[in-house]
Amino acid sequence: MKKNESAAGGVWNKVVSYFKKHPIQFNIILIGITFLLFCYIAMVMLDIFTEHGAYKVVPDVKGKPFFEAKAIIEASDFRCEVTDSIYNDTFDRGCVMEQTPKENSKVKSSRTIYLVINAFSPRVVSFPAVCDMSERQAVAKLQEVGFRNILIESVVSPYKGLVIECRYNGLPIAPGKKIPSSSNITLFVGDGLESTDSLSVESTLLDGEIFDSDLESEISDIF
């Protein structure tokens, strides 16, 4: 036993003697040990402050009125923020239409839940100038500014596929007029056919010309 103690004491004395002779190496090892200890303490503290491994389930608030959804979210230890509002007449006004993160997702507590709600009234936009455009161009331009309820009706016109007139609530609408984006817009598009009235007028004139020529020939035969 005494031999083992003396041997251990001898090794320790050699180590101390070695570091006394080489203080730079001792300082390097000491710095390394201190750095590793600091990293370990920092990781432990980080787990404590960030609640590592602690998750909560995001509640489902889609379709609920905003204030009810906000109360549910805050009761679940989350925050909420409205990022956008769009108008959709198939949803109740002021209700939540979308949420991020999605319902039933597992996230950290105190996370912000971003909401998109249904607007209380449709967005009002200026009606663009689409007359004399092709049907495809006119529809694309109307959809670009937010119109979705677009009805196409064919009218007799030699200009096939060209927008002849635009109407809103049955009345012609001028470019620049501000109307709700949910409005029903009717585009009257040419079908490429001639009007029957113009054809009948042309046939009447042609018949008149034939009658006049026949009458002139009969008179010349008599005289």
Side-chain angles (χ1 to χ4, degrees):
M1 185 69 178
K2 291 182 178 180
K3 289 183 179 180
N4 292 335
E5 290 179 355
S6 61
V11 171
W12 175 252
N13 290 333
K14 288 181 180 179
V15 171
V16 172
S17 176
Y18 176 81
F19 282 124
K20 283 183 178 180
K21 293 180 181 178
H22 304 86
I24 295 178
Q25 294 181 6
F26 174 75
N27 289 333
I28 292 174
I29 293 174
L30 185 62
I31 291 171
I33 293 172
T34 304
F35 177 75
L36 292 175
L37 183 62
F38 175 78
C39 289
Y40 175 77
I41 294 173
M43 291 181 66
V44 171
M45 298 300 294
L46 186 64
D47 286 346
I48 294 173
F49 284 113
T50 60
E51 297 181 349
H52 180 69
Y55 296 96
K56 289 194 172 184
V57 178
V58 177
D60 183 5
V61 295
K62 290 175 67 176
K64 298 184 181 298
F66 170 69
F67 291 107
E68 182 183 343
K70 182 180 179 182
I72 294 173
I73 289 171
E74 291 178 348
S76 301
D77 201 19
F78 296 111
R79 298 187 297 269
C80 73
E81 181 180 331
V82 176
T83 58
D84 195 9
S85 63
I86 56 179
Y87 184 79
N88 188 327
D89 55 9
T90 61
F91 284 79
D92 293 334
R93 296 181 181 183
C95 74
V96 177
M97 298 183 65
E98 297 178 14
Q99 64 178 85
T100 305
K102 298 294 184 182
E103 61 277 9
N104 300 321
S105 301
K106 292 183 178 180
V107 298
K108 297 289 183 67
S109 60
S110 301
R111 173 77 180 270
T112 299
I113 310 300
Y114 299 99
L115 306 177
V116 176
I117 66 170
N118 193 25
F120 288 92
S121 59
R123 186 164 57 100
V124 176
V125 296
S126 296
F127 191 80
V130 294
C131 284
D132 298 329
M133 284 186 177
S134 68
E135 176 186 336
R136 182 179 61 82
Q137 289 176 323
V139 170
K141 193 165 187 178
L142 289 172
Q143 291 177 340
E144 182 181 345
V145 298
F147 293 104
R148 293 293 180 268
N149 303 320
I150 304 171
L151 179 65
I152 307 297
E153 287 194 14
S154 296
V155 293
V156 176
S157 170
Y159 307 106
K160 184 176 182 180
L162 198 70
V163 177
I164 308 300
E165 186 182 15
C166 306
R167 292 194 179 187
Y168 159 63
N169 286 344
L171 297 174
I173 180 170
K177 183 176 178 63
K178 293 186 178 296
I179 60 174
S181 60
S182 60
S183 303
N184 293 320
I185 304 299
T186 303
L187 300 181
F188 293 89
V189 179
D191 58 7
L193 301 177
E194 292 284 353
S195 172
T196 55
D197 293 339
S198 62
L199 292 175
S200 63
V201 170
E202 291 178 359
S203 63
T204 301
L205 292 174
L206 182 60
D207 292 341
E209 291 176 358
I210 294 173
F211 175 76
D212 291 340
S213 62
D214 291 342
L215 183 60
E216 288 176 1
S217 63
E218 290 179 0
I219 292 174
S220 62
D221 292 340
I222 293 173
F223 294 98

